Amino acid sequence: MPTEKIILGIDPGTTIMGFGLIKVVNKKMQFLQMNELLLKKYDDPYVKLKLIFERTLELIDTYHPDEIAIEAPFFGKNVQSMLKLGRAQGVAMAAGLSRQIPITEYLPKKIKMAITGNGNASKEQVAKMLQSTLGLKSLPKNLDSTDGLAAAVCHFYNEGRVEVGKNYSGWEAFVKQNDKRVKK
């Protein structure tokens, strides 16, 4: 009896949210789709968050992923950018958690390492490796969608390993693992 599951990978962003989906059948990956949600034209940051939440729910309701892999915000010098990315990631996670889908976060270096073998690989190197691995005919102009796809593929490669990142199977698990972040 074949075992199947679908993994949704998300690269959160407030300008572009990239996402990709793979199907795993008997431990073999199949490309389903990748795309991006363009948010540049919206000035209101709360409208952007609403659209991220709604698009993530739409993807969940259309493809019924069994698991979600999401890129964690990296710690840069610009605190405001990191806060915006964290909010984008948070609403995407909230959409998954609202549907009881397990979520795993991966640091960008971990994703790059899983795909290319180099944690400092460029977006282009990650995209080319995914193109080769999944037999993609072409690559998109913006590489945010390949970054989302890379998160899903990284999750597939890390399946069964104990140390993959933070896992949340629902609000209860999130609260338990983030006790200091919860107001009581």
Side-chain angles (χ1 to χ4, degrees):
M1 184 178 234
T3 55
E4 290 186 14
K5 78 171 159 186
I6 293 175
I7 302 170
L8 168 60
I10 298 174
D11 175 27
T14 54
T15 306
I16 300 174
M17 178 183 92
F19 56 88
L21 290 125
I22 59 171
K23 185 177 194 174
V24 179
V25 181
N26 293 328
K27 299 186 180 190
K28 290 193 178 177
M29 279 188 295
Q30 296 174 4
F31 170 75
L32 287 180
Q33 87 123 307
M34 68 177 158
N35 211 331
E36 53 204 23
L37 173 62
L38 300 174
L39 300 160
K40 290 176 193 167
K41 60 185 170 192
Y42 302 98
D43 292 328
D44 186 335
Y46 301 108
V47 168
K48 290 180 178 190
L49 295 176
K50 178 180 176 276
L51 292 170
I52 291 167
F53 184 83
E54 290 173 348
R55 183 64 174 128
T56 304
L57 280 180
E58 184 183 323
L59 288 166
I60 291 167
D61 293 342
T62 302
Y63 292 95
H64 308 285
D66 300 287
E67 297 169 9
I68 295 175
I70 192 163
E71 186 173 307
F74 58 92
F75 302 100
K77 291 179 183 168
N78 188 333
V79 175
Q80 286 301 317
S81 293
M82 201 171 80
L83 286 171
K84 288 176 186 176
L85 276 176
R87 288 177 177 166
Q89 181 199 34
V91 295
M93 290 171 75
L97 292 169
S98 74
R99 296 288 198 264
Q100 278 77 46
I101 300 172
I103 298 170
T104 305
E105 290 180 78
Y106 293 95
L107 293 172
K109 280 187 178 276
K110 177 113 177 157
I111 294 172
K112 291 174 181 181
M113 179 62 88
I115 305 303
T116 68
N118 175 3
N120 295 314
S122 68
K123 281 179 170 276
E124 292 78 15
Q125 288 171 314
V126 171
K128 285 287 188 192
M129 186 59 80
L130 288 171
Q131 184 177 27
S132 172
T133 304
L134 296 169
L136 306 175
K137 289 182 178 29
S138 62
L139 291 173
K141 185 177 77 160
N142 297 321
L143 298 180
D144 299 88
S145 54
T146 53
D147 286 350
L149 183 62
V153 173
C154 172
H155 187 67
F156 167 74
Y157 287 154
N158 282 281
E159 190 175 54
R161 293 191 185 165
V162 179
E163 185 207 331
V164 289
K166 291 186 178 177
N167 255 318
Y168 308 118
S169 56
W171 286 113
E172 271 185 50
F174 180 84
V175 170
K176 276 184 188 173
Q177 292 181 38
N178 293 280
D179 191 46
K180 289 184 170 89
R181 294 170 66 187
V182 178
K183 283 189 177 182
K184 295 178 182 170

